[in-house]
Amino acid sequence: MFEAYFFDKRSTINYRVYRVLKALQNTDFTVNRLSQEAQLSYSQAYNAFQDIMSDLQAMTDSTVPIADEVAFQKLGEAVTVDEYRFHLLKDSMAFNFFDYAFKADSPDVHEFCEQNDLSISTLRRRVEGFKVYLQSKGVTLNTSTWAPEGNELRIRMVLVNFFILAYRGVGWPFGDAHYHETVALAKQLHDCAPEAWFNRPEHDTKQDLLALGVQRLRLTQQHALPEIPRLLALTQAPDLADLPVVLRPAAPADPVMESAYFYFSRIHFLSLQGHMTWTDQWLIDHFQRRADAVAHFADGLLAYLVTQAPSNTPDADVNGHELLRANLYRMAYSF
């Protein structure tokens, strides 16, 4: 769980209790019931409730004479679970460090520690969990500045996932101006290829925009993608020739390679809609036409799964799972 890398025991309990509180909102609850629902002792639930009420008063710039259930109904209504979760994240020094290190053009761990009255040894201890996670994804921290290093594609995908999970439901990580510029660029990309497989503005998600936002961020930081042949193969597909003209980063970045990353980010994330999109259909047509390892693996896995279904159920039809097939293509190609 993302929060486990950044929450201490107290924050973890408070987050659990707040989720229960929101589920019980507009009901008559007691601390005793709260402790049972959250599977905590009475004292743990009581202390967490007091912490939460203090946090809510700070977050809403309000005060209540008594921090009780009635007061929670008033203050908690204005604060979502995601907003409270982010409030707890911002109290985490480890989260604040990675949020800073990923965004800064030239991060400096010594400057960060000085500004936060923190020793290097204390910071090193607090970030160890997420640092190990980064290493498992092929991303390390520079021994001097602690800036992320490694394969640029891996770094970008780690950053996209970090910001998606951290800023879930609470806004844009890079400020309003950056958000409006990213939306404008997305519109340019749509306008230059209105019939392209990836181009359905009404289906744009926050993660689509964040992938483009992280791409812009890394280019601003002078981190361009090297040539990756398997990504470049995407630029050979139909309807893609016009995008490099729009997505033209400053030298020395390769606009064709950066366009290939844009296409990759558009097919990387699983499609969770209940129907096939143009992108899903394109994936199926594209990879079946190529007949490479992606289609071989995904089609073979799907065929195996179907054979495990009872013959008298709808699931036994291998052609009835095209959305699953498209998502398996996404997973196999991304891997």
Side-chain angles (χ1 to χ4, degrees):
M1 188 170 68
F2 181 80
E3 297 82 12
Y5 293 113
F6 306 110
F7 285 179
D8 57 18
K9 183 177 181 181
R10 185 172 184 173
S11 294
T12 300
I13 291 176
N14 289 354
Y15 180 45
R16 184 198 305 180
V17 170
Y18 193 74
R19 286 184 294 171
V20 173
L21 281 168
K22 293 296 284 185
L24 297 176
Q25 197 162 353
N26 300 322
T27 66
D28 294 328
F29 67 88
T30 63
V31 173
N32 187 52
R33 182 184 176 189
L34 191 61
S35 68
Q36 294 174 353
E37 296 284 350
Q39 298 182 328
L40 298 168
S41 68
Y42 183 92
S43 61
Q44 285 177 314
Y46 177 82
N47 290 335
F49 182 74
Q50 296 304 311
D51 284 346
I52 289 168
M53 291 303 296
S54 178
D55 289 339
L56 291 178
Q57 290 179 79
M59 293 174 70
T60 61
D61 195 24
S62 305
T63 57
V64 293
I66 302 176
D68 58 9
E69 293 84 351
V70 175
F72 174 77
Q73 304 292 6
K74 174 185 176 183
L75 299 182
E77 186 175 6
V79 179
T80 67
V81 170
D82 282 341
E83 288 168 340
Y84 186 68
R85 170 182 174 273
F86 191 66
H87 171 81
L88 295 174
L89 278 176
K90 289 191 295 183
D91 278 344
S92 163
M93 190 59 65
F95 170 76
N96 287 327
F97 171 73
F98 285 108
D99 194 52
Y100 157 77
F102 292 158
K103 292 177 184 177
D105 290 346
S106 301
D108 186 329
V109 65
H110 301 286
E111 180 181 308
F112 178 85
C113 286
E114 183 177 346
Q115 290 178 349
N116 291 277
D117 192 23
L118 195 68
S119 69
I120 290 286
S121 60
T122 299
L123 180 63
R124 181 178 289 111
R125 185 175 67 253
R126 293 188 183 182
V127 305
E128 181 63 23
F130 197 66
K131 179 183 175 183
V132 171
Y133 166 79
L134 292 178
Q135 290 171 342
S136 73
K137 301 303 178 184
V139 178
T140 59
L141 301 181
N142 181 280
T143 56
S144 177
T145 66
W146 290 25
E149 292 184 335
N151 179 289
E152 178 61 19
L153 180 58
R154 287 178 176 268
I155 290 175
R156 291 187 186 189
M157 300 315 292
V158 163
L159 264 60
V160 170
N161 288 327
F162 174 86
F163 290 122
I164 285 175
L165 294 172
Y167 286 79
R168 185 181 69 200
V170 294
W172 191 252
F174 316 115
D176 290 344
H178 185 279
Y179 171 75
H180 293 303
E181 291 166 1
T182 302
V183 170
L185 178 56
K187 185 178 185 305
Q188 281 185 282
L189 296 172
H190 291 311
D191 290 346
C192 78
E195 300 301 320
W197 54 270
F198 63 85
N199 194 352
R200 286 296 174 268
E202 66 274 15
H203 294 153
D204 274 357
T205 64
K206 185 175 182 179
Q207 62 189 11
D208 290 329
L209 289 175
L210 271 174
L212 185 58
V214 166
Q215 180 176 13
R216 293 184 58 233
L217 175 73
R218 293 296 289 177
L219 288 173
T220 300
Q221 296 170 344
Q222 303 299 308
H223 296 294
L225 275 174
E227 183 174 312
I228 305 175
R230 290 189 65 82
L231 280 192
L232 282 178
L234 281 174
T235 63
Q236 321 281 311
D239 298 324
L240 304 185
D242 292 331
L243 287 191
V245 177
V246 175
L247 196 61
R248 187 171 297 284
D254 180 352
V256 176
M257 195 65 245
E258 293 299 331
S259 292
Y261 169 78
F262 172 81
Y263 310 141
F264 172 72
S265 66
R266 282 292 169 141
I267 69 173
H268 170 74
F269 298 106
L270 297 182
S271 179
L272 302 179
Q273 303 181 64
H275 60 275
M276 293 277 289
T277 65
W278 278 38
T279 303
D280 297 323
Q281 190 59 57
W282 180 88
L283 282 166
I284 291 174
D285 295 342
H286 179 69
F287 286 109
Q288 287 185 340
R289 183 170 60 249
R290 289 176 59 178
D292 64 3
V294 170
H296 179 73
F297 168 79
D299 290 344
L301 176 58
L302 183 57
Y304 171 78
L305 293 174
V306 167
T307 63
Q308 307 307 303
S311 58
N312 61 344
T313 68
D315 292 335
D317 180 9
V318 72
N319 296 315
H321 303 277
E322 293 306 275
L323 183 57
L324 174 58
R325 189 188 306 277
N327 279 332
L328 288 173
Y329 286 175
R330 295 174 191 274
M331 295 167 61
Y333 182 71
S334 294
F335 179 82

